[in-house]
Each structure stands twice: as C-alpha cells, then as structure tokens.
Amino acid sequence: MKLYGVIPPMVTPFDAEGEVDFPGLSRLVDHLSDRVDGLFVCGSYGSGPLMDEAERKAVAETCLASAGGRVPVIVHTGTASSRE
C-alpha cells in the first residue's frame, strides 16, 4: 500500500475520570474517515505513549472497527515505559 494525502495525527478523547472515551473515539473516527486519506492513532498527539498496552490495543481496535476500511489506520506502537 502506498500512503498519500492527508493523514492527521488523531487525538484520543478521554472522559472526566481519565479513561478513554470509546463512544467519542468512534464518533471522531467516523467523522474524519470521510474527510481524510488515513488516520494516525496512538502517537504522541493522541497520548499513545502515556497509555498502557491494553489501552493502546483497545484504541487501535476501536479505530479500525470504526473506520470500517474506508481509510488506512496507522497505529503508533511506541511507549514511554522502559518495561514495555
């Protein structure tokens, strides 16, 4: 696959308790998927390095499901933790 066009670093929405807002994340992906050429999720702009592995995986799965193949989803896999 060749990447092209607009692939924005996407924010990850969180609720007041600091948990990922998955319904909000799905709405954001749905909104963006018809307007851009791809999505970059879990990068530093999306707080990925600050999330644990399970959160990053859940965010990636939610984004992939919500995009539904309309656009490529690129997932940053790095972390700020030396243990991970």
Side-chain angles (χ1 to χ4, degrees), residues 52-64:
D52 64 27
E53 183 178 353
E55 289 173 312
R56 290 191 308 271
K57 184 177 180 181
V59 167
E61 290 171 346
T62 299
C63 290
L64 286 165

Side-chain angles (χ1 to χ4, degrees), residues 25-84:
L25 179 61
S26 292
R27 287 191 304 272
L28 179 59
V29 170
D30 188 52
H31 174 77
L32 290 174
S33 291
D34 294 328
R35 294 166 172 79
V36 298
D37 300 301
L39 299 171
F40 175 60
V41 302
C42 291
S44 59
Y45 195 69
S47 301
L50 302 176
M51 290 185 263
D52 64 27
E53 183 178 353
E55 289 173 312
R56 290 191 308 271
K57 184 177 180 181
V59 167
E61 290 171 346
T62 299
C63 290
L64 286 165
S66 297
R70 292 177 285 172
V71 294
V73 176
I74 302 163
V75 181
H76 177 85
T77 59
T79 179
S81 169
S82 60
R83 290 190 169 90
E84 288 187 31

Side-chain angles (χ1 to χ4, degrees), residues 12-21 47 50-51 55:
T12 302
F14 292 88
D15 63 22
E17 288 79 37
E19 300 296 322
V20 175
D21 175 6
S47 301
L50 302 176
M51 290 185 263
E55 289 173 312

